[in-house]
Amino acid sequence: MKVLVIGSGAREHALCRALSLDPHVTALHCAPGNAGIAQVAELHPVDALDGKAVAALAEELGAGLVVVGPEAPLVAGVADAVREAGIPCFGPSGQAARLEGSKAFAKDVMAAAGVPTARSYVCTTPEEAETALDAFGAPYVVKDDGLAAGKGVVVTDDLEAAKAHAAACERVVVEEFLDGPEVSLFAITDGETVLPLQPAQDFKRALNGDEGPNTGGMGAYSPLPWAEPKLVDEVLATVLQPTVDEMRRRGTPFSGLLYAGLAITSRGVRVIEFNARFGDPETQVVLARLKTPLAGVLLAAADGTLADLAPLRWSEEAAVTVVLASHNYPGAPRTGDPILGLDEVEAQDAPHAYVLHAGTRRDGDAVVSAGGRVLSVTATGEDLTQARDRAYTAVARIHLDGAHHRTDIALKAASGEQ
């Protein structure tokens, strides 16, 4: 099978790495890709938001499967254009991707499906937002209704900061605060059958101890030793399957990757948000543990045959990923800085630790930074402690001027805490 992956981040590098290890994949392409993806796939320039251009590239390459990584192309209907060209595509339609593209739409679907989530108000004026904030009280949770690259949510005790975020957005969802640890659970679906993957936990805040501003994610780990063994089955029954069933009932079936961001509250599991694609950086650790070849699973979702698939096989090992971010991230990042030590990680730490590129590009013989989150350093081990040690050993070999990373990824979990 020839596979084309759309996107340029560490999520796409993780997908390309897993696909490159699949014996059924005869040719692997990525558009537009990055400096790291170029080591495992042939890169092609494309406007990832242009469905016709993506479909034309897939036809030209003779792709038997297209995998759309990021949310913006999905919401823009790129998967629709690929399917219209007669090529199997892993990723929901533009209509179905509204589950991520509009927080208000997702709330409406959850209400219809009976999915447990936070109480909320959709607000379009500062006055409506102020009323909602007063109704719920602190901590205040304000979410931009549209796509915001993982940075559209403010959780704060500062009422003025909450009002300012609401005022800066065209439409917001103001929610009650959900207590308890957060879990990311991905599910692959063909619109009927729902196949949950292994849960992971990510770290949204920029600084240790969950301090600092929200980011797209600074690290992740899997499995979750503190989670109830029945968690996945419970979420499948109460969240994932009902949502997929409701989307099909509405005439907009959801096929692809349904990502449930969950809070394990004192009152039970609650959905924080849905995403319509693999999450970043959780994909890095989930795929590190998946033993079943990936291409066949994604193709089964694309062509509606997931029910015929054998159960997924998983490694018993743990995985940890640590994000190396550029100077000033999540503010306007500095780019163009050389990245040193990548060869040393490959020589010293492989196969247990490896580097997945996010915001990188080639500049002659050098690899330089080209975005806010630059690298995801990923490692596996017998348990979280060993995986952590291997990941941070690899991180220490890399030099990027002004870069920063969290030093507490999976620390509590490795110590037996939440």
Side-chain angles (χ1 to χ4, degrees), residues 269-312:
V269 172
R270 297 288 184 274
V271 175
I272 300 169
E273 64 175 353
F274 283 130
N275 289 335
R277 38 72 196 182
F278 279 101
D280 184 342
E282 299 98 320
T283 302
Q284 288 86 302
V285 292
V286 173
L287 292 186
R289 299 185 56 226
L290 180 65
K291 294 176 75 173
T292 301
L294 182 62
V297 182
L298 303 186
L299 183 61
D303 65 17
T305 59
L306 264 187
D308 302 331
L309 210 64
L312 297 179

Side-chain angles (χ1 to χ4, degrees), residues 325-382:
S326 59
H327 175 75
N328 199 44
Y329 179 79
R334 192 174 76 205
T335 61
D337 291 315
I339 304 167
L340 306 177
L342 298 174
D343 291 342
E344 193 178 344
V345 172
E346 193 161 345
Q348 302 283 339
D349 303 302
H352 302 298
Y354 48 89
V355 179
L356 298 169
H357 292 229
T360 69
R361 62 177 174 83
R362 278 266 169 207
D363 185 5
D365 291 335
V367 175
V368 301
S369 61
R373 291 186 296 173
V374 181
L375 304 170
S376 285
V377 181
T378 305
T380 55
E382 289 182 9

